[in-house]
Amino acid sequence: MPGTLRAVLLVLLSAAAWASFPDAFHAPWDSLLQQYLWAGRLDVVGIAHDPRFERYLESLAAANPARGSREEQMAFWLNAYNACAVALLARRPGLRYVSLRMLDSLVRTDTFCIAGEEHTLFSLRLRLRQFGEPLLHFGAGGITRGFPPLPRRAFTAATLWRQLRANARTFLRSPQGCLLDAATNTVWLSPLLAWYRADFEREGTSLLHTVAQYAEPTVAAVIAARRRELQVKFLDFNGETIVRYAPTPARTLKPLAPSLSLIH
């Protein structure tokens, strides 16, 4: 198919998706995540060679998310961020570890076309921050093991808040997200919460208050009882990438859930 005609068709299909059933726009990404992501590890070679991944990136480039509701837009930009993170790894299938300096360079220099504009992972994160919703940080999956894991299902407007709260619980109940040292009255948190601390402390909310909402119940109880005594420290950066080198096991894929009423 000639390149110009293909581009026109992508724009028309993208516009139709946003006008009729926005959540269905992300169905290809949903099936890719289920097929190539397993136990927090990504079959980067498999997804890189799957033509559906390239087509989904092309649809993100041609989309116009501004037409959607706030939840639809947040779901779009989260899925775009995560797809670009996967694309970054797909460009470097042998990448097993990144230093903090290398990560900072990658997220600022690798470019992607999203919604007709050039973006980096850094600018996509800034776009997500414009919504003023700190839970979005738990939905933007990291390319290394020290960050919130890449979700195995695409975000949709219908399930957005449930997914984000589940992601926050999963991460803050893991050793990468939150550790309590009761002997020294210290709560160790992911460096992600240090970098975006201002987002989690909006409107006078303390960082520990946010953590307590999603941490293990025993940790939440200690925070409630000893909040004024507790020290907050941050874990070292873990630069091991999420790349998986063993073949992805076969599995049954679930369809993307139909749109439901939005509940925050």
Side-chain angles (χ1 to χ4, degrees), residues 61-122:
N64 181 14
R67 300 181 181 187
S69 68
R70 185 170 183 267
E71 280 76 12
E72 287 165 354
Q73 291 185 51
M74 286 192 285
F76 173 87
W77 289 105
L78 277 172
N79 289 326
Y81 181 97
N82 290 335
C84 290
V86 169
L88 185 150
L89 289 174
R91 294 171 180 175
R92 303 165 180 81
L95 189 64
R96 295 174 179 268
Y97 182 87
V98 295
S99 66
L100 192 54
R101 178 174 294 184
M102 182 180 181
L103 178 65
D104 185 64
S105 175
L106 290 174
V107 301
R108 292 174 185 270
T109 57
D110 263 38
T111 58
F112 313 90
C113 183
I114 303 296
E117 298 178 344
E118 185 176 87
H119 278 282
T120 62
L121 285 182
F122 181 78

Side-chain angles (χ1 to χ4, degrees), residues 34-35 38 152-153 249-255:
Q34 291 185 71
Q35 183 168 347
W38 184 255
R152 286 199 66 235
R153 302 301 301 267
R251 63 182 68 92
T252 302
L253 305 185
K254 300 177 182 178

Side-chain angles (χ1 to χ4, degrees), residues 5-6 11 13 43 59 61 63 96-97 101 142 148 159 162 180 186:
L5 178 58
R6 185 181 185 188
V11 172
L13 287 171
D43 178 0
S59 71
R96 295 174 179 268
Y97 182 87
R101 178 174 294 184
T159 59
R162 184 167 70 244
L180 172 66
T186 304

Side-chain angles (χ1 to χ4, degrees), residues 70 77 122-134 136-137 195-200 202:
R70 185 170 183 267
W77 289 105
F122 181 78
S123 68
L124 288 172
R125 177 80 68 166
L126 290 178
R127 182 65 186 82
L128 287 168
R129 294 180 72 189
Q130 291 175 11
F131 290 105
E133 176 49 68
L136 293 176
H137 287 299
W195 299 339
Y196 301 108
R197 186 168 187 163
D199 294 355
F200 292 101
R202 282 201 176 107

